[in-house]
Amino acid sequence: MKFAAASRAFFHRKPASFNLSTPLKATRRLETSSTTTHSSAGLTEEEVHQINDVVPRLCSSNHLKEAVQLISAALSTANPPVGSLPLSILINRLALEPDLTQPMHLLNSLKYTSNTEKTPILLPITKMFVSYFFRNGHPKRAVKIFQWVSRPDFPGGLMDNLELYGDLIDGFCRNGMILDALRVLRVMADGNLVIGSEIRFRVYRGLLREARVDEALELKAIFDCGTLGSNGGTKEVVDLLDRMITNWVD
């Protein structure tokens, strides 16, 4: 990642030299640096401490782009200590933005980090954003996150985390966004993922609330057959969901 070399030089500054202007100057160098060196060394305890000191100040002073770049550079190192970095502070602040520009800047920065496939970075960060958006009354932003993780160029292919899909379906159903819940269900079925009874019940109840009784009963019947996972059964479920989604949109 092009920010890695410059960021490590920044981390090795004397602690006494840290002030708000210092990290801003460092992150500007990260932006203009043409270096593409990827750090092969992990962060030291002192570097982690300095990141935890600087990132909250960048967030509170509304220098979000610089905070994102600093975290991205830290996560590009070998074996980044994800649990020790101030991710929740940064994500909480980004989730309060009026649009998704800065949240997507962080997600896309991590998406194209070469360590992404080695370290499960994207999943916990994605789940944190989804949780914040639903909790703070922004379910439509969660739709954008779902569309992003469902893209074919997502690192490692289809994300198979059942907890994330369950959170999405639960949040959409709670907000009356049953069409979006069906789209999540369709991705799960097409990926031959396990669709548990709780997820099925949430969607079934959501369809009934929308007075789509026939669709609810048809979906329940096909799930009760227990054929999902077989070639024919999976196709049958996907075809049904495609038809339901098309009819809903039309």
Side-chain angles (χ1 to χ4, degrees):
M1 186 174 180
K2 70 179 182 179
F3 303 136
S7 65
R8 291 190 64 80
F10 158 62
F11 293 146
H12 285 298
R13 285 176 169 269
K14 294 180 180 180
S17 68
F18 269 90
N19 53 56
L20 191 57
S21 64
T22 300
L24 288 178
K25 290 179 181 178
T27 50
R28 290 193 189 102
R29 287 200 299 273
L30 298 181
E31 289 180 295
T32 57
S33 173
S34 60
T35 303
T36 57
T37 303
H38 181 75
S39 176
S40 60
L43 297 174
T44 66
E45 290 185 9
E46 177 62 20
E47 289 168 344
V48 172
H49 175 75
Q50 292 172 357
I51 294 171
N52 277 275
D53 177 62
V54 171
V55 168
R57 288 191 284 153
L58 288 173
C59 290
S60 63
S61 60
N62 208 35
H63 292 289
L64 301 182
K65 182 178 180 180
E66 290 80 5
V68 166
Q69 291 172 343
L70 192 54
I71 286 293
S72 297
L75 291 174
S76 73
T77 60
N79 302 315
V82 178
S84 301
L85 297 175
L87 287 173
S88 61
I89 294 175
L90 176 60
I91 292 172
N92 187 32
R93 178 61 186 83
L94 295 180
L96 296 176
E97 284 292 281
D99 56 46
L100 284 173
T101 301
Q102 293 299 341
M104 294 311 301
H105 177 41
L106 173 61
L107 291 173
N108 284 317
S109 295
L110 298 178
K111 177 180 178 179
Y112 296 109
T113 297
S114 59
N115 259 6
T116 299
E117 294 187 7
K118 298 178 182 179
T119 307
I121 296 172
L122 277 175
L123 177 58
I125 292 178
T126 300
K127 290 168 67 175
M128 290 173 71
F129 272 125
V130 167
S131 176
Y132 277 123
F133 289 149
F134 281 132
R135 189 163 63 246
N136 293 322
H138 299 294
K140 291 185 178 180
R141 297 185 185 182
V143 174
K144 298 295 185 181
I145 298 297
F146 164 65
Q147 293 171 344
W148 182 76
V149 301
S150 302
R151 291 179 55 173
D153 62 344
F154 190 83
L158 174 69
M159 184 177 286
D160 59 357
N161 187 269
L162 298 179
E163 184 178 351
L164 172 62
Y165 288 126
D167 290 345
L168 285 166
I169 289 178
D170 180 59
F172 291 145
C173 289
R174 288 179 183 275
N175 285 276
M177 301 167 64
I178 310 305
L179 176 59
D180 293 292
L182 290 176
R183 286 172 171 150
V184 178
L185 197 65
R186 197 263 184 213
V187 168
M188 295 182 69
D190 191 47
N192 204 22
L193 303 180
V194 176
I195 301 177
S197 58
E198 290 187 9
I199 290 178
R200 300 179 188 184
F201 179 71
R202 288 169 189 161
V203 175
Y204 174 74
R205 186 171 58 181
L207 288 169
L208 292 179
R209 286 177 176 173
E210 293 290 325
R212 293 180 177 267
V213 178
D214 292 341
E215 291 96 328
L217 294 175
E218 189 173 3
L219 187 62
K220 182 178 184 299
I222 200 171
F223 277 135
D224 288 346
C225 288
T227 58
L228 185 62
S230 63
N231 290 334
T234 297
K235 184 179 185 304
E236 190 177 0
V237 173
V238 171
D239 288 346
L240 172 60
L241 289 169
D242 281 339
R243 176 161 50 85
M244 292 172 65
I245 292 170
T246 299
N247 291 340
W248 198 304
V249 173
D250 293 341

